[in-house]
Amino acid sequence: MFIYEKKLQYPVKIKNTNPRLASIIISQYGGPDGELGASLRYLSQRYSMPYAELKGLLTDIGTEELGHLEMIGAIVHQLTRDLTEDQIKTAGFDTYFVDRTTGVYPTAASGFPWSAASMAVKGDLIADLTEDLAAEQKARVTYDNILRLSDDPDVNDAIKFLRAREIVHFQRFGEGLRLAKDKMNEKNVYFVNPSFDK
């Protein structure tokens, strides 16, 4: 059950349009390490987690990632609002514009649309939690790269908030992996085919 609070997790108030920057930031909306994939990954992985604490962790972070998706959408929208034809052409935003106008569409900065193939759900708690640690680091690196390319203080403020949350999520998944390994000592979760251990 979800309850939607009608405000962004962190305010996004961008004064200046910048379609070139929007075409880079869109990767965190629908790119391979973006917020859409993260939210669906965690909200899908939770079903096979055998421990309530880890199921809760995945639900909490997966839900927060939906809020981050909304923030990225707001950033892209504000960077592309009220564009002139000259701005669209000059910024190289024309290839996106011709297909999407200024709609926020889940795609990577490279132009490849979002695909479920970019998210991992294995059903094995060690594999999934290890994937989640890597996913958070990859998202943090993408935010680092955006900050290297952006000179807009309004954008950078929101991106720095999102980057900091990736670090917190990485730490929480690390704690979750330690918890899983401790509990595995009590109960072998690989009980389906113990002959692998022989």
Side-chain angles (χ1 to χ4, degrees), residues 77-119:
H77 170 71
Q78 290 178 29
L79 285 171
T80 59
R81 68 184 180 275
D82 303 323
L83 294 176
T84 66
E85 287 181 26
D86 187 52
Q87 287 174 310
I88 292 165
K89 292 174 188 172
T90 305
F93 194 68
D94 49 348
T95 54
Y96 183 95
F97 182 84
V98 75
D99 291 331
R100 310 286 169 218
T101 316
T102 56
V104 178
Y105 177 75
T107 185
S110 60
F112 291 103
W114 185 82
S115 167
S118 67
M119 56 178 259

Side-chain angles (χ1 to χ4, degrees), residues 3-19:
I3 297 171
Y4 178 64
E5 189 175 341
K6 296 182 180 182
K7 68 175 190 172
L8 295 177
Q9 186 181 9
Y10 188 85
V12 174
K13 294 183 176 153
I14 297 167
K15 294 183 226 43
N16 301 313
T17 58
N18 187 334

Side-chain angles (χ1 to χ4, degrees), residues 26 40 42 67 70 85 108 121 148 171 178 180 187 194 198:
I26 195 72
L40 293 177
Y42 307 148
E70 189 176 30
E85 287 181 26
V121 178
R148 287 181 180 103
Q171 292 167 338
R178 284 189 293 281
K187 176 184 174 189
K198 294 179 183 175

Side-chain angles (χ1 to χ4, degrees), residues 13 27 37 46 57 63 65 67 71 78 82 107 113-114 116 118 120 135 144 147 151 168 173 184:
K13 294 183 176 153
S27 227
R46 68 188 172 147
L57 176 68
T63 303
E65 299 290 13
M71 284 181 64
Q78 290 178 29
D82 303 323
T107 185
W114 185 82
S118 67
D144 288 350
L147 289 168
D151 62 358
V168 170
F173 282 130
M184 285 173 62

Side-chain angles (χ1 to χ4, degrees), residues 8 10-19 21-26 28-29 35 67-81 93 102 104 143 146 150 152-163:
L8 295 177
Y10 188 85
V12 174
K13 294 183 176 153
I14 297 167
K15 294 183 226 43
N16 301 313
T17 58
N18 187 334
L21 189 53
S23 68
I24 295 166
I25 292 173
I26 195 72
Q28 280 303 86
Y29 194 79
E35 304 295 355
H68 295 175
L69 180 71
E70 189 176 30
M71 284 181 64
I72 293 294
I75 292 169
V76 170
H77 170 71
Q78 290 178 29
L79 285 171
T80 59
R81 68 184 180 275
F93 194 68
T102 56
V104 178
Y143 283 127
I146 289 168
S150 172
D152 186 318
D154 297 331
V155 170
N156 292 354
D157 181 55
I159 295 298
K160 286 176 184 176
F161 169 82
L162 291 165
R163 180 189 182 280

